[in-house]
Amino acid sequence: MNKSVVKKTASKKAAVSAARLAAIKCLRQVFKGSSLSAVQAQNIDILEDRRDRGLANEMVNGVLRWRWQLEALVSALLSKPLKAKDIDVQLVLLMALYELTECRTPDYAIINQAVELVRKSGKKWAASLVNAVLRRFTRERERLISGLTSETALYSHPDWIIDLIKRDWPDDWRNILQANNQRPPFWLRVNRQQYNVAQYQQLLGDMQRESEVSPLADQAVKLSQGIDVRTLPGFAGGAVSVQDVGAQLCAALLNLSAKQKVLDLCVAPGGKTCHILEHCEHLQSLVAVELDEKRMLRVTENLQRLQLLAGAASATGDDAEADTRLALIVADVRDYQQWWQGELFDRILIDAPCSASGVIRRHPDIKTLRRSSDIPALVELQAEILLSAWQMLAPGGELLYVTCSIFKDENQHQIKRFLATSSDAREIEITASWGKPCEAGRQLLPGEFDADGFYFCRLRKLEAV
Ligand SMILES: C[S@@+](CC[C@H](N)C(=O)[O-])C[C@H]1O[C@@H](n2cnc3c(N)ncnc32)[C@H](O)[C@@H]1O
């Protein structure tokens, strides 16, 4: 683990408790199966003080990232495990151990806060236990940490994920697991319709923000530190979006040009849809399909902020060369016969629902929420989406299949199976300076070029003979 600075003063004690209470609520809900982003919005985003929000987010992400290591420490410190009904006590211990190993808050303050927190959660009986366990940890810290030898504890992942990554990436599994435990970088995509990257870096420099560009994507900028996006130059007017540099590869891989008809499948929250429209202004049409109505609202918001909706909404079709006709459809891709108008598309993007095993560093709750039993159902769903999409692709057209997964079953095995059963499909090889060539497609592994892990495969539909 890396030491990080979490500043706190004695006079902020009460406020810190609010942050900790919010963090414990979040952790309890994620451990019960809720997604972190949903519980963050309900419990952390509502805190008034920016420092409280920062501390609560630090605690929650840290515990979810290092859960398996912290649990091994708790096991070593307790003579018998806590009962399932005492999850609050376990969570307080995990959180305090995270702080004791990662943060610069004085030990006595961390322990006092943990004892106060366990009392507040209605488990007064556990106050002395928490106190004793944490004090023992501070006395025996080095021995306890050097006693962690299992891969589960050392790499802090559930066993099934370690096993799958080892099986799929025998030469890279250690690097992948380590990359998954890093704090994610802060990547932006500069809207090329408003600024080039050098101009935007200048604006960032004017506000004393350091940034770097990427050899992967020409509109990508990495900030050296996180920031409230609303304070970014031109954010409200659509100058820039938050998007990992790996995700920014899609628009170029789609091989877009003017007047094409594009079908964008599984689109929410709209990162790639917006990028496509920024990237190629004169498409004939873009049809964007998403199953989840609420998530589709996020697509609309993003399109509005980026000023991509107004032009499209005013398009009547009379001036199709200048305006992309944009349709947003809430539907299941697999029910395409219900919503498809019968037009064949020149380009199709499938950003398939997947295990998200490539974006664990950004969403550490994935390690807690996903089960190995989820994978076969996802593979089946992806295969059905791919088969449906293929029916809507014009002969000579191209389909880009993308996942943010590193599991081969969702990626190259999926595509190999599709190619074996689709006589009109051919792979278009992706030659690139990034990623690993696969049996089919190309895999960007987490951490490579400081990107998240993504899989890409380009397919062409053969012209009828
Ligand atoms: C990986 S996310 C898409 C990310 C998005 N393309 C972006 O760049 O912001 C996958 C999306 O697929 C949607 N989805 C899942 N099953 C679907 C289906 N059968 N039909 C349409 N959308 C589906 C999910 O609701 C989710 O929003």
Side-chain angles (χ1 to χ4, degrees):
M1 296 189 206
N2 300 321
K3 268 278 183 194
S4 70
V5 186
V6 175
K7 288 191 186 135
K8 177 167 83 65
T9 61
S11 63
K12 286 295 296 164
K13 213 170 169 185
V16 169
S17 287
R20 284 156 203 273
L21 278 171
I24 285 286
K25 275 190 203 161
C26 285
L27 286 169
R28 193 188 300 130
Q29 289 174 46
V30 173
F31 274 52
K32 279 189 185 161
S34 301
S35 87
L36 178 55
S37 57
V39 300
Q40 262 169 334
Q42 288 158 5
N43 298 291
I44 298 182
D45 296 354
I46 55 163
L47 296 176
E48 265 174 36
D49 190 319
R50 179 178 55 81
R51 286 161 303 181
D52 286 342
R53 295 197 295 274
L55 179 58
N57 278 321
E58 167 70 26
M59 302 279 106
V60 173
N61 280 286
V63 170
L64 292 171
R65 199 163 274 136
W66 292 104
R67 171 181 173 179
W68 287 264
Q69 190 163 106
L70 299 167
E71 284 180 346
L73 288 173
V74 170
S75 300
L77 284 158
L78 290 175
S79 52
K80 60 178 181 160
L82 290 162
K83 296 187 177 123
K85 68 182 168 72
D86 296 324
I87 182 71
D88 282 345
V89 182
Q90 173 87 356
L91 292 176
V92 168
L93 285 173
L94 296 180
M95 210 158 84
L97 286 171
Y98 173 71
E99 263 196 288
L100 287 168
T101 50
E102 280 283 290
C103 304
R104 290 193 193 159
T105 313
D107 289 356
Y108 74 87
I110 295 170
I111 297 172
N112 288 348
Q113 286 281 300
V115 169
E116 191 181 324
L117 202 53
V118 89
R119 281 208 186 101
K120 273 193 175 154
S121 71
K123 305 268 175 182
K124 288 196 178 129
W125 62 267
S128 56
L129 173 88
V130 164
N131 188 39
V133 161
L134 295 178
R135 283 189 194 287
R136 189 177 146 216
F137 176 76
T138 60
R139 288 193 306 272
E140 301 176 29
R141 184 186 313 241
E142 272 162 36
R143 186 187 66 76
L144 286 160
I145 290 175
S146 60
L148 298 174
T149 51
S150 74
E151 283 170 354
T152 320
L154 288 175
Y155 294 106
S156 193
H157 278 67
D159 289 340
W160 75 269
I161 294 187
I162 298 180
D163 291 346
L164 260 188
I165 294 180
K166 269 184 171 178
R167 185 196 73 184
D168 283 354
W169 301 103
D171 298 331
D172 303 281
W173 66 272
R174 284 191 181 81
N175 288 343
I176 295 171
L177 295 174
Q178 279 161 357
N180 287 349
N181 287 333
Q182 300 301 308
R183 289 158 203 265
F186 204 109
W187 283 105
L188 300 173
R189 184 189 76 238
V190 178
N191 183 350
R192 70 199 273 176
Q193 294 181 15
Q194 297 191 20
Y195 295 102
N196 65 36
V197 160
Q199 290 166 331
Y200 200 76
Q201 280 192 294
Q202 181 68 49
L203 295 178
L204 290 169
D206 292 347
M207 58 186 292
Q208 273 71 53
R209 289 280 171 175
E210 283 176 27
S211 62
E212 273 174 53
V213 295
S214 165
L216 289 195
D218 58 6
Q219 293 302 114
V221 171
K222 185 171 71 172
L223 289 179
S224 56
Q225 278 185 329
I227 188 172
D228 178 344
V229 289
R230 290 165 302 183
T231 64
L232 284 167
F235 181 78
V240 73
S241 300
V242 176
Q243 188 179 41
D244 187 79
V245 64
Q248 294 185 42
L249 287 165
C250 282
L253 288 171
L254 262 174
N255 188 24
L256 297 168
S257 51
K259 298 185 186 170
Q260 284 175 337
K261 293 183 210 163
V262 179
L263 177 61
D264 185 6
L265 297 175
C266 308
V267 296
K272 299 184 187 72
T273 312
C274 293
H275 193 193
I276 289 171
L277 291 167
E278 286 171 15
H279 187 79
C280 195
E281 283 178 64
H282 300 295
L283 297 174
Q284 182 172 328
S285 61
L286 180 81
V287 176
V289 184
E290 164 61 42
L291 180 64
D292 186 323
E293 194 170 359
K294 274 202 189 131
R295 281 171 64 79
M296 190 61 126
L297 292 176
R298 299 273 315 281
V299 182
T300 312
E301 283 164 16
N302 282 322
L303 287 164
Q304 268 163 349
R305 185 181 62 79
L306 290 159
Q307 304 178 27
L308 295 166
L309 206 51
S314 67
T316 56
D318 305 340
D319 190 13
E321 283 189 8
D323 280 320
T324 298
R325 283 175 296 131
L326 176 63
L328 303 184
I329 298 177
V330 175
D332 189 322
V333 171
R334 297 169 296 175
D335 297 336
Y336 67 98
Q337 274 149 343
Q338 314 278 320
W339 54 264
W340 182 43
Q341 309 279 317
E343 63 173 348
L344 293 168
F345 294 93
D346 305 301
R347 295 288 179 270
I348 298 182
L349 170 63
I350 301 179
D351 194 9
C354 69
S355 63
S357 55
V359 293
I360 285 177
R361 65 179 183 168
R362 209 167 283 289
H363 301 286
D365 53 331
I366 290 167
K367 293 197 272 193
T368 289
L369 297 175
R370 276 271 170 251
R371 301 277 173 268
S372 61
S373 55
D374 297 339
I375 308 299
L378 284 165
V379 170
E380 199 179 321
L381 171 62
Q382 292 152 358
E384 288 170 8
I385 288 176
L386 180 53
L387 211 56
S388 303
W390 198 251
Q391 314 312 312
M392 297 179 270
L393 184 64
E398 293 180 20
L399 182 149
L400 178 66
Y401 175 87
V402 181
T403 70
C404 57
S405 170
I406 56 167
F407 296 152
K408 290 186 175 174
D409 284 348
E410 299 178 89
N411 297 336
Q412 64 183 61
H413 297 162
Q414 178 77 267
I415 298 294
K416 289 291 284 180
R417 216 174 15 253
F418 176 74
L419 286 168
T421 51
S422 311
S423 57
D424 58 350
R426 291 288 180 278
E427 183 192 356
I428 307 170
E429 196 185 333
I430 300 172
T431 43
S433 57
W434 50 264
K436 295 198 178 281
C438 305
E439 278 178 70
R442 201 166 182 95
Q443 180 76 56
L444 184 65
L445 290 173
E448 214 188 323
F449 291 96
D450 218 0
D452 289 344
F454 282 93
Y455 171 81
F456 305 93
C457 188
R458 293 178 66 197
L459 300 170
R460 173 175 292 121
K461 194 176 215 175
L462 299 182
E463 307 271 359
V465 277

